[in-house]
């Protein structure tokens, strides 16, 4: 049986993944540098029409080595599907490594080394693609993109941007006690619904007709789109692209938990 796979990092991206910031730029007290950098997901062959900017990688991404693969990624993939984009996209995160602790992201967003490397990626992507739109997810991604948009290359590109709430906003808002999860889902999906017409008008090159179907008050199972096989390194099993959670940080102590990732085949996907 034939399989699609992500071919990796062709020129000029090979230079970006050869020389990337380490713990001297991303300090251990604010980032999970020990799990390595995770650079992107999607097309690096110049065919991307939509640029997605997320925040930072989570557990599933640590294993698959591509960003926005877990719950957040499948919600984003579902939004792209509504916009008629099934393959012509590329995604990067605001941060190369998972944020560790509450304020790690906010306090390092504008660090010179972090910004410089992020701008190298944005400059390269914009030079080699013809983007119809940029979608930023969350405050930090919006601020990161806004800072780049003010640079000379950002001003020349003058890209259409939709600044959306982060796909896991409901879980974060509920965990911080700001609001109930159900009301936060309503807020998130109202925010995404509002952006649909503008994005629909901006994205003139789609892979299939856009439906621009409005979301309800919460995500339905059909609002999640599994991650395409062509986005992940060769040979990854199908369950790693499924809409189920399969990776967790586990351990008795804070230190063990930071050091340990448990990946398990979801119970209903055990074919043996
Ligand atoms: N995973 C990512 O890669 N980025 C996010 O913003 C969230 C989860």
């Amino acid at each position: 049986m034939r399989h699609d796979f992500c071919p990796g990092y062709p020129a000029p991206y090979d230079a970006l993944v050869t020389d990337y910031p380490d713990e001297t730029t991303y300090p251990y007290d604010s980032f999970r540098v020990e799990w390595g950098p995770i650079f992107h997901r999607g097309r690096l062959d110049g065919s991307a029409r939509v640029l997605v900017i997320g925040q930072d990688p989570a557990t599933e991404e640590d294993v698959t080595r591509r960003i926005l693969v877990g719950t957040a990624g499948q919600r984003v993939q579902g939004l792209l599907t509504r916009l008629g984009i099934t393959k012509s996209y590329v995604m990067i995160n605001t941060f190369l490594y998972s944020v560790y602790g509450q304020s790690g992201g906010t306090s390092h967003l504008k660090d010179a080394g972090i910004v410089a490397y992020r701008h190298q990626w944005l400059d390269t992507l914009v030079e080699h693609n013809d983007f119809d739109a940029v979608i930023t997810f969350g405050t930090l991604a919006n601020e990161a993109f806004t800072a780049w948009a003010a640079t000379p290359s950002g001003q020349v590109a003058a890209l259409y941007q939709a600044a959306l709430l982060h796909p896991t906003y409901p879980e974060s808002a509920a965990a911080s006690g700001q609001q109930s999860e159900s009301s936060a889902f309503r807020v998130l999906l109202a925010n995404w619904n509002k952006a649909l017409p503008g994005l629909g008008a901006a994205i003139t090159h789609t892979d299939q007709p856009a439906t621009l179907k409005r979301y309800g008050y919460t995500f339905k199972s059909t609002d999640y789109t599994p991650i395409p096989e062509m986005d992940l390194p060769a040979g990854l099993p199908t369950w790693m692209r499924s809409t189920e959670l399969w990776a967790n940080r586990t351990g008795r102590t804070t230190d063990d938990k930071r050091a340990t990732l448990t990946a398990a085949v979801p119970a209903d996907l055990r074919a043996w």
Side-chain angles (χ1 to χ4, degrees), residues 17-231:
V17 301
T18 304
D19 187 9
Y20 57 82
D22 59 14
E23 67 278 4
T24 54
T25 304
Y26 277 92
Y28 275 112
D29 64 359
S30 298
F31 296 96
R32 299 180 189 275
V33 189
E34 64 279 10
W35 287 96
I38 307 168
F39 300 101
H40 99 295
R41 173 157 80 81
R43 311 289 75 74
L44 293 180
D45 59 0
S47 66
R49 287 290 180 167
V50 176
L51 169 62
V52 168
I53 309 181
Q55 186 176 297
D56 66 304
T59 47
E60 274 87 0
E61 290 82 6
D62 281 340
V63 179
T64 61
R65 312 314 294 178
R66 294 294 181 271
I67 70 160
L68 284 162
V69 166
T71 306
Q74 291 152 14
R75 290 176 184 170
V76 168
Q77 202 70 33
L79 176 65
L80 291 175
T81 306
R82 276 171 153 77
L83 297 169
I85 296 293
T86 55
K87 55 177 196 279
S88 304
Y89 55 80
V90 63
M91 310 180 181
I92 58 167
N93 274 328
T94 306
F95 300 111
L96 210 47
Y97 301 90
S98 292
V99 171
Y100 182 70
Q102 292 281 318
S103 61
T106 321
S107 56
H108 292 286
L109 182 69
K110 296 181 182 161
D111 288 5
I114 294 181
V115 171
Y117 185 73
R118 191 195 293 135
H119 285 191
Q120 279 185 51
W121 265 91
L122 287 167
D123 287 346
T124 309
L125 286 169
V126 169
E127 189 186 336
H128 294 277
N129 292 276
D130 194 1
F131 290 122
D132 286 336
V134 181
I135 311 178
T136 56
F137 289 102
T139 317
L140 299 182
N142 178 31
E143 284 182 31
F145 179 73
T146 305
W148 175 82
T151 66
S153 36
Q155 286 177 26
V156 170
L159 295 174
Y160 176 89
Q161 184 203 359
L164 304 192
L165 287 175
H166 191 273
T168 55
Y169 166 82
E171 287 84 350
S172 322
S176 70
Q178 276 171 32
Q179 57 184 316
S180 69
E181 202 167 279
S182 62
S183 96
F185 270 110
R186 284 182 180 233
V187 171
L188 171 73
L189 295 175
N191 173 264
W192 286 18
N193 280 337
K194 205 167 156 209
L196 285 172
L199 280 167
I203 302 169
T204 50
H205 299 79
T206 58
D207 301 313
Q208 62 184 36
T211 65
L212 304 184
K213 186 169 172 277
R214 289 173 65 79
Y215 288 92
Y217 292 138
T218 191
F219 283 109
K220 296 197 198 81
S221 58
T222 50
D223 294 329
Y224 292 78
T225 300
I227 306 308
E229 193 174 43
M230 72 188 307
D231 283 12

